[in-house]
Amino acid sequence: MKQLDWTMILFVSSTLVYEYWLLSGLPRIYFWNVKKQHLNNLNKDDDDRSIA
């Protein structure tokens, strides 16, 4: 291994860094407040009734 193929090393390393950067946040779990969403839907329904 006297002569390294720097093109291949750069390609592989940049690909690994890109994939790590792209997938570093996975898995993502999103939480939401069901009670708040339900109350907002009820208030929206009440507003719709008051207009009609």
Side-chain angles (χ1 to χ4, degrees), residues 11-30:
F11 172 75
V12 171
S13 61
S14 63
T15 304
L16 289 174
V17 167
Y18 176 74
E19 286 186 7
Y20 177 75
W21 177 56
L22 184 67
L23 303 175
S24 64
L26 296 177
R28 294 181 182 168
I29 301 173
Y30 298 99

Side-chain angles (χ1 to χ4, degrees), residues 1-47:
M1 237 177 106
K2 291 182 180 180
Q3 192 173 13
L4 295 173
D5 187 9
W6 287 106
T7 312
M8 181 62 78
I9 291 173
L10 286 174
F11 172 75
V12 171
S13 61
S14 63
T15 304
L16 289 174
V17 167
Y18 176 74
E19 286 186 7
Y20 177 75
W21 177 56
L22 184 67
L23 303 175
S24 64
L26 296 177
R28 294 181 182 168
I29 301 173
Y30 298 99
F31 296 98
W32 63 93
N33 190 347
V34 176
K35 183 177 179 181
K36 183 177 178 183
Q37 185 178 5
H38 180 68
L39 290 175
N40 286 341
N41 287 341
L42 287 177
N43 289 338
K44 189 188 317 180
D45 290 343
D46 289 342
D47 291 343

